[in-house]
Amino acid sequence: MTIQFNEETFRDDYTFRNSDWAIKRFPFPFHEDSYMYSVNMEQHQGGPAGSVFEKRFDVDEHYVAEMKDRALVLAEDPLRCQSLPHMTLAGWDLLELIMVSKSEDYPDLFELHRDGNNWHWINRPMGIEQKFVFMDESTLPYGPMEYITRQAQGDFCVLDQRDDNLWMDAGMVTTQADWSLDFDIGMNFFEWHAPVPKAHEMGIFVRALKFLLNIQQGMPARRLNWTMTVNPLLDTSPENYHKWGVQKTTLTPENLGAKQHLRVELQTFFRLPRSNALVFPIRCYLISLEDLVTVPKWGRRLHRVIRDLPVELATYKGFIDNRPMILDYLAQHDDGLPTSDGIWPDLATEPPLSPS
Amino acid sequence: MSKFQFPESIKSRPVWGTLEPRAGKAHLMVADSEGAEALLDLAQADATLMARAHVIYIPRETGESYTVRLKELGAAQFYVGPSYEAAVPRLRRTLSDAHMGLQVYLTGTEGLMGQAMREAIEAGIPHSAIQTEHRGSIARRMQCVHCKGITDDVITDPFVCAHCGLNLFVRDHYSRRHAAYQGVCIDAEDPGNVPEPVRLYS
């Protein structure tokens, strides 16, 4: 299909909206009526047609607007994009991966022509045409990682692999769930995850690291993660927390359905060929609760998940104070009927909400 | 007694050790304040180290309390500096001149050890050749995540950022590259509601 790119904002007047298409393909993260941490990895080798899992790097109606928001964040704070000196080769690897994937997966939107090291890149949605020499930084307006990730939705962490660990040595991070690349750069896998409660004791990170260290070229993996965000604010950074934190207090029972968003991260993992680095794209999808409950199964399930979530996790995810109000809203969309297994909306088979 | 037992914490928080004499042709010892006591203990454990040692000592508020005793250890090079910042050019020069096998001993406050550790790592000294021992103040070097300014010697939680003036709470999340813990606005969700500062670990 041809994508109609939205004109919308993720700040100030928050004109962000999901179309019906975007709602139905939303990556709902709960495959059952409860949630606990797990190393929920699967192969990232496509998925159902039209789903966010189908392509290597999903492009949707928010693409152009998200890239404008990223440019605003970077203009305000260039430290959101950093690459330690030894990571430039991995940046070229990433540029190649994204350009090749997008031009193959979306030939009507992106073109890549290669004649030896002379490359010609065309990005139609953003109106960019660039001729450059692959591996020659002086032929691009930014370093290779920054250049390509200004044209790709989601955050990108580029992880060096050494000493049986992964090191956060480069990244483009402007749509993060409250963590700072500037602070975490140079940390290893356990250090940058240090603030996450419970998961260390459960052995989650030891198992996840073992899995990630063994990811091979051409065998990418993926998982979903989630949190809650008030307003469709992409840049929930610690850097700006003193500005956006107060928005959490603006929820009322009347505006909650429109303002409270479920924030889902599609995390993918690709081995990079020359550097042996691992790139970890973290793609953020937002959906308001009032849109989410138009899928009856998701309304029922989200109520049960949020209701039964351990206090520690609700606190870490930053919505403990608003949980009672969120539950009052979601309870109206849970009639107690059983739900089908898996994350899909199952609109044809799941019953509509019973009248109370 | 200048030793403090830090409670167990998250995985990014540094864990400090106890200095032990190691075999080596050269020994670089960097200390501030009560870190002097750890160097005195080290020299007592193996007095032969000192003939091959370069001591960089910043007494800070301890003044003359330790300098005479440290000097009497007979280090090959003994330097007393007025501040860590003043000692940095000397430290960098020493590290850049270092040969394989240099043993590094860092002791005193967390801020001193963290910053000197960063210099040593950047100079290519392997982790395995660097030892640490905390002594003295438990104050922290904090980075404000909002303005990026560093506030040294933070002893209360919350505290006021010396640069932007926000009220920050003290996290245990630590960056070796910044040699600092992270400070985050405490009243972002309820502006003006700042709890009374409490001394760290009290």
Side-chain angles (χ1 to χ4, degrees):
Chain A
M1 68 172 287
T2 306
I3 303 167
Q4 294 294 318
F5 296 106
N6 299 349
E7 272 190 41
E8 59 189 358
T9 57
F10 301 88
R11 55 180 68 213
D12 305 325
D13 56 352
Y14 294 112
T15 59
F16 164 87
R17 291 292 176 274
N18 280 308
S19 66
D20 284 346
W21 173 71
I23 294 170
K24 289 189 178 64
R25 74 196 294 274
F26 189 81
F28 188 71
F30 307 111
H31 65 91
E32 59 186 4
D33 286 356
S34 64
Y35 173 80
M36 186 26 88
Y37 293 127
S38 63
V39 186
N40 48 334
M41 295 280 188
E42 60 180 17
Q43 294 301 318
H44 183 42
Q45 303 280 1
S51 75
V52 303
F53 308 108
E54 183 186 7
K55 313 292 194 190
R56 284 166 281 187
F57 296 93
D58 182 48
V59 175
D60 67 8
E61 64 193 25
H62 307 298
Y63 175 51
V64 175
E66 284 187 27
M67 294 301 94
K68 282 185 186 154
D69 194 72
R70 165 157 295 163
L72 290 173
V73 173
L74 289 170
E76 260 177 37
D77 182 1
L79 296 175
R80 304 299 190 83
C81 179
Q82 296 191 45
S83 177
L84 298 184
H86 60 281
M87 297 303 283
T88 306
L89 183 63
W92 285 110
D93 277 335
L94 178 61
L95 175 141
E96 176 187 54
L97 175 68
I98 293 176
M99 286 187 178
V100 169
S101 301
K102 284 193 163 184
S103 59
E104 289 176 355
D105 293 350
Y106 299 92
D108 52 333
L109 301 180
F110 305 97
E111 285 178 38
L112 178 64
H113 305 282
R114 288 180 284 184
D115 175 13
N117 279 338
N118 294 310
W119 291 25
H120 181 191
W121 166 247
I122 299 169
N123 174 340
R124 291 193 206 294
M126 292 181 72
I128 292 172
E129 187 165 350
Q130 179 82 42
K131 290 181 176 166
F132 65 100
V133 179
F134 187 67
M135 301 285 256
D136 181 351
E137 276 187 85
S138 68
T139 59
L140 283 176
Y142 306 100
M145 178 190 74
E146 179 167 358
Y147 179 77
I148 197 58
T149 57
R150 280 174 176 266
Q151 302 177 45
Q153 286 166 277
D155 286 344
F156 290 82
C157 301
V158 188
L159 314 176
D160 196 26
Q161 181 159 333
R162 59 180 193 271
D163 301 337
D164 289 326
N165 213 323
L166 294 168
W167 302 81
M168 177 81 71
D169 284 350
M172 167 69 89
V173 177
T174 67
T175 68
Q176 64 284 267
D178 206 4
W179 66 278
S180 167
L181 173 73
D182 177 58
F183 194 77
D184 288 1
I185 194 165
M187 290 189 188
N188 70 36
F189 191 76
F190 299 113
E191 290 169 341
W192 86 69
H193 284 116
V196 182
K198 278 187 174 210
H200 292 273
E201 296 84 330
M202 291 167 65
I204 296 287
F205 292 121
V206 173
R207 289 205 296 280
L209 178 62
K210 273 187 185 163
F211 182 92
L212 295 172
L213 290 174
N214 287 304
I215 284 184
Q216 305 293 310
Q217 266 191 65
M219 296 291 285
R222 68 185 173 219
R223 68 185 289 266
L224 295 174
N225 195 12
W226 69 281
T227 188
M228 302 285 263
T229 303
V230 175
N231 291 326
L233 176 63
L234 278 177
D235 179 29
T236 47
S237 58
E239 278 82 358
N240 284 333
Y241 170 62
H242 59 304
K243 299 175 191 163
W244 61 262
V246 73
Q247 294 181 26
K248 291 191 198 177
T249 64
T250 61
L251 283 186
T252 65
E254 291 71 37
N255 68 21
L256 188 138
K259 272 177 110 67
Q260 180 66 59
H261 288 67
L262 175 64
R263 182 187 192 101
V264 175
E265 294 176 354
L266 170 57
Q267 306 181 343
T268 50
F269 306 89
F270 298 81
R271 178 70 59 196
L272 297 175
R274 298 170 187 78
S275 58
N276 198 44
L278 197 69
V279 64
F280 172 20
I282 307 166
R283 171 69 180 278
C284 172
Y285 294 86
L286 293 162
I287 189 170
S288 67
L289 295 194
E290 67 185 12
D291 282 349
L292 183 129
V293 300
T294 62
V295 177
K297 170 181 166 181
W298 291 352
R300 292 181 179 109
R301 180 165 292 168
L302 186 63
H303 172 245
R304 297 165 198 179
V305 168
I306 299 296
R307 180 192 62 200
D308 300 338
L309 194 73
V311 169
E312 246 175 313
L313 268 68
T315 304
Y316 174 65
K317 289 178 184 288
F319 65 90
I320 188 75
D321 291 345
N322 287 328
R323 176 151 78 169
M325 207 192 300
I326 295 169
L327 286 176
D328 285 346
Y329 178 86
L330 289 173
Q332 304 165 45
H333 300 275
D334 184 2
D335 51 17
L337 290 181
T339 53
S340 56
D341 286 343
I343 64 173
W344 306 105
D346 299 333
L347 283 165
T349 49
E350 287 289 280
L353 190 71
S354 337
S356 53
Chain B
M1 193 58 199
S2 61
K3 288 189 186 180
F4 181 80
Q5 189 67 44
F6 292 103
E8 204 167 304
S9 182
I10 63 174
K11 287 181 185 289
S12 59
R13 194 219 192 290
V15 177
W16 312 109
T18 303
L19 299 185
E20 289 172 4
R22 287 213 183 130
K25 282 193 297 186
H27 304 269
L28 172 62
M29 303 173 183
V30 186
D32 71 351
S33 307
E34 282 96 344
E37 293 179 8
L39 294 188
L40 293 169
D41 290 351
L42 183 67
Q44 193 163 32
D46 182 355
T48 67
L49 288 183
M50 301 313 291
R52 286 161 284 142
H54 181 170
V55 174
I56 293 176
Y57 180 57
I58 298 109
R60 302 183 59 180
E61 73 292 344
T62 63
E64 298 291 311
S65 314
Y66 298 103
T67 50
V68 174
R69 274 184 287 162
L70 277 181
K71 190 157 200 261
E72 285 170 357
L73 295 178
Q77 283 173 277
F78 180 65
Y79 163 83
V80 177
S83 68
Y84 173 76
E85 289 72 22
V88 165
R90 181 186 185 94
L91 175 60
R92 286 188 184 152
R93 171 63 192 267
T94 306
L95 288 167
S96 71
D97 287 351
H99 293 277
M100 286 286 287
L102 174 76
Q103 292 294 329
V104 177
Y105 308 78
L106 310 175
T107 177
T109 62
E110 294 196 273
L112 177 284
M113 289 189 287
Q115 292 178 88
M117 170 95 73
R118 177 175 62 185
E119 295 293 336
I121 297 292
E122 281 177 7
I125 309 291
H127 285 278
S128 53
I130 305 172
Q131 297 184 68
T132 59
E133 180 168 341
H134 175 263
R135 293 280 186 132
S137 170
I138 54 168
R140 295 186 179 190
R141 184 175 144 88
M142 301 294 306
Q143 189 212 36
C144 172
V145 75
H146 310 292
C147 80
K148 308 295 183 187
I150 296 279
T151 304
D152 281 306
D153 300 317
V154 169
I155 191 64
T156 64
D157 179 18
F159 70 101
V160 177
C161 174
H163 303 265
C164 69
L166 284 175
N167 292 286
L168 308 178
F169 67 93
V170 173
R171 293 187 81 190
D172 274 359
H173 198 30
Y174 180 85
S175 160
R176 276 177 277 104
R177 289 181 59 80
H178 292 290
Y181 292 91
Q182 190 175 63
V184 179
C185 182
I186 196 168
D187 59 337
E189 297 179 30
D190 189 3
N193 183 8
V194 180
E196 274 301 299
V198 176
R199 195 179 158 83
L200 295 179
Y201 297 110
S202 64

